[in-house]
Amino acid sequence: MMGAMASEETRAVKPTAARVPSAEGPLPPAPRAWAVRLVVVGIVLSALNLRPAITSLGALLEEVRDGLGMSGSVAGLLTSVPPLCFAVFGVAAPRLARRFGAGAVVCAGMVAITTGLLVRPYTGSTPGFLAASALALMGIAVSNVLMPVIVKRWFPDRVGSMTGLYSMALALGTSAAAAVTVPLTDALGGGWQSGLAVWAALAGAAVLPWIPLVRDKGPGSAVGSVHARVEGAGPVRHVHARVEPTALRITRSRTAWALAVFFGLQATAAYITMGWMAQIFRDAGVPAGTAGVLLAVTMVMGVPLAFVIPRVATRLSHQGPIVLALGVCGLSGYAGLYLAPAAGAWVWAVLLGVSNCAFPLALTMVGMRARTGAGVAQLSAFAQSTGYLISIPGPLLVGVLYQHSGGWGLPIALMIGLMIPQMAVGVLAGRDRTVEDEAAAAAP
């Protein structure tokens, strides 16, 4: 499948028919076929590593808490560290990419993930564990922001399919870490340290495809390059124009704010799920191994749907109906967790897995709500950094409510309450408009 995708994407970026010269100078060279294939491999391997640092910890959270002497509130803080790091470090990703190239930054991010995952289980203290986790999450943060930029730059006419491939690999890595961390821990002797550290090997593999691309900034490497798709009676023609990046006042765009809030609320739901759902099932009497598999089921639902949803979304002028359908699934899943967590565990896991596919939808809308590579970079950084800031209190508040109420009723009620505004702002973010047009219209 990946080979076919690589072939398809090679055709997508290869100039056909005519290439119109730019007034600013010569056209950028066509990307090399080997580089395009390597980018596809790099995207897939990187995506596989963007969540195991979190879901592997969720599967062993009780053991880590006992081993490091954490309280419920501190564990809630631990589950809030990912969005905090994503917000703080993600905002720097576009600036780093302009200076060093997106491929070099993602390569460095994979190195950071590898190092953090390898070190954190053996620090022996909560502060050390948090610091090593932050290093891994820093690598994840910059890669999160730059993946839509890389997709837009290398595959401007296949944003939906490549976002789907990336999201599908991300969901596969997420679910695999949730499903096999507990069995791997048992196979490696029962120590939670080795069960967490083993994921560093996968991250190390993701470094390799980016090394040849460290100096290769991609087709039309100027951040402001415009890729226009012209369709007529003949074959598709690609018009490339080199333009200077212009400052985009992203905060003047209502769509950018709606997308940022939507991203934040779906991230809140996702990190509460990854950090606490296994524990909800365990407290309801479900064995630890089965609870990990249930979490994996929730995550693995994103594998097929993360490939389908972006492709469907790019064919719609308004993505609001998809937002509403995913929200209804989330409301149903949370209601089931509240009323009968153990009896209907598999059903609730599936429904919440469908609801969590708001993430690939949000990534797809980032690529659709801006016209240029520079616009996508700014929108991606703004939506993800602002969104992750919004999501920080959620997992922490769940931990506090759980510890002080002695049960899961109040935390689940909180999750249900947050789903309503997520659906509302998602409908607003799904409208057919671009942040460039809105920012220009709002300018004095």
Side-chain angles (χ1 to χ4, degrees), residues 44-57:
V44 171
L45 285 177
S46 298
L48 286 171
N49 283 282
L50 295 183
R51 294 299 179 269
I54 303 165
T55 51
S56 62
L57 176 59

Side-chain angles (χ1 to χ4, degrees), residues 34 71 102 128 149 181-182 193 200 218 261 279 310 319-320 326 405 409 428:
W34 69 264
S71 66
V149 178
T181 295
V182 172
Q193 291 90 346
V261 176
Q279 192 66 48
Q319 288 75 47
L326 298 180
S405 68
L428 294 177

